[in-house]
Amino acid sequence: MYLGVNIDHVATVRQARLTLYPDPVEAVDYCLAGGADGITAHLREDRRHICDDDMRRLAAIPGLHLNMEMAATNEMVSICRELKPGACCLVPEKREELTTEGGLDVVSHRTRMASIVEKLNDAGVRVSMFIDPDAEQIKASAAIGAPVVELHTGHYANLSGLDREKELEVIRKGAALAADLGLIVHAGHGLTLDNTPPIVAISEIEGLNIGHAIIADSIFKGLERAVADFKLLMARRR
Ligand code: PXP
C-alpha cells in the first residue's frame, strides 16, 4: 500500500518565523528512510506553507514520486504543467479555512474540471480528484477522465462511535464503486495511528496521503520513526 507523506507542516513551522528552516525539502530523505513511497505537498494560493521554490526543488529531486496538491486554478495548472510532478491532486481551497475542509464538487463544475484534467493528463501528470466518498462525485470524476480519486476521510476522522462506523461504511461503498469504475482509489485527511487501521482494511484503497499526524508525531519521535510507524500499520493489512 502506497504512503504519500504530506510535508506541508514542516513548511508551516518555517513560515511561523519566516526563517529558512526547517526546510521541507530536507524532510524528504527522512520520509523516504522511514518507508514513504512518495511525497505530497500543497502549493496553496496564499503560499501559507509550501512556497514556489519548495515545489520547484521537490520536483527536481530525481526519482521522487511527487504529488502536488493544488486548487483547480489557471495559475496552479500552469505551474503544474511546467514542473510536471508525477501526480497532482486537485483540491478545493478557501483562504479562510485551516485545512482542506471538504471534497471538490466535480458534479457542479464538471465542464471546468474536465478541461483542467485534460490539460494535466496531456502534460503527463496523473490527476487525482479529492472528493467526498459520494457516488455522484465518484461517477463524475470517472466520466471526466481522472485516473485517480482520493476519498476524503476528514469527516470519518472527526466522528466517533456509531457515526464513525456509518461514515466508514460510506467510504467502503465509495471505494468499491470507484474501483468498479476503473479508478485508482486513494484516501486521506485527518488520519492518525488510531483511526487508520479500518481505512487500511478497505482493499480497494491503494494509497494514503498523511500529513498532520506524521509531522505532529515527529516532534516526539522523529520524522523517520513517525513515517515508519504508519508503514508498519499499513503492512498489517488483512
Ligand atoms: N489529502 C489531501 C487532499 C489533503 O488536502 C490533505 C491535507 O493537506 C491530506 C491528504 C493530508 O491530511 P492530514 O494533514 O490531515 O493528514
Side-chain angles (χ1 to χ4, degrees):
M1 193 179 198
Y2 173 96
L3 173 63
V5 177
N6 181 314
I7 56 171
D8 292 350
H9 296 314
V10 177
T12 301
V13 175
R14 178 191 62 192
Q15 296 310 102
R17 284 289 182 92
L18 296 177
T19 47
L20 294 175
Y21 65 90
D23 181 359
V25 178
E26 218 180 306
V28 171
D29 283 346
Y30 293 93
C31 292
L32 296 178
D37 301 290
I39 293 293
T40 293
H42 186 172
L43 186 65
R44 293 187 73 101
E45 292 185 85
D46 61 8
R47 310 318 198 248
R48 74 168 69 144
H49 37 54
I50 295 291
C51 300
D52 295 67
D53 181 58
D54 299 327
M55 197 56 90
R56 206 166 289 285
R57 289 183 299 134
L58 289 168
I61 298 176
L64 177 68
H65 185 269
L66 176 64
N67 173 34
M68 174 177 171
E69 266 187 40
M70 56 186 236
T73 62
N74 293 339
E75 183 202 14
M76 289 301 154
V77 171
S78 114
I79 295 173
C80 188
R81 279 168 60 94
E82 186 203 327
L83 296 184
K84 294 193 186 353
C88 92
C89 182
L90 295 175
V91 301
E93 220 179 272
K94 285 192 232 104
R95 272 170 206 270
E96 61 277 15
E97 71 190 359
L98 283 178
T99 179
T100 316
E101 279 163 10
L104 271 178
D105 187 352
V106 188
V107 174
S108 306
H109 303 102
R110 203 183 171 108
T111 313
R112 183 167 159 63
M113 292 296 166
S115 133
I116 289 176
V117 168
E118 191 185 354
K119 284 188 187 129
L120 294 167
N121 280 344
D122 285 351
V125 180
R126 189 175 77 165
V127 190
S128 168
M129 311 300 279
F130 184 52
I131 53 172
D132 291 327
D134 170 86
E136 295 315 310
Q137 298 294 347
I138 293 166
K139 286 184 206 160
S141 300
I144 63 167
V148 186
V149 285
E150 179 170 329
L151 301 181
H152 196 318
T153 50
H155 310 297
Y156 157 81
N158 287 334
L159 293 168
S160 57
L162 207 58
D163 290 335
R164 178 178 280 188
E165 278 308 311
K166 281 189 198 152
E167 182 64 15
L168 185 60
E169 191 50 31
V170 172
I171 296 172
R172 279 193 199 108
K173 288 203 173 112
L177 170 64
D180 274 353
L181 293 171
L183 292 160
I184 294 168
V185 189
H186 289 170
H189 213 282
L191 295 177
T192 63
L193 286 173
D194 286 340
N195 67 25
T196 298
I199 300 295
V200 169
I202 302 173
S203 61
E204 291 88 354
I205 297 180
E206 295 181 32
L208 300 178
N209 282 304
I210 304 179
H212 185 258
I214 289 179
I215 304 305
D217 292 351
S218 78
I219 293 172
F220 301 113
K221 56 180 159 183
L223 187 49
E224 182 177 335
R225 182 75 253 156
V227 173
D229 283 351
F230 272 92
K231 275 303 278 191
L232 275 173
L233 180 157
M234 290 162 76
R236 279 187 233 124
R237 172 173 238 177
R238 275 160 284 158

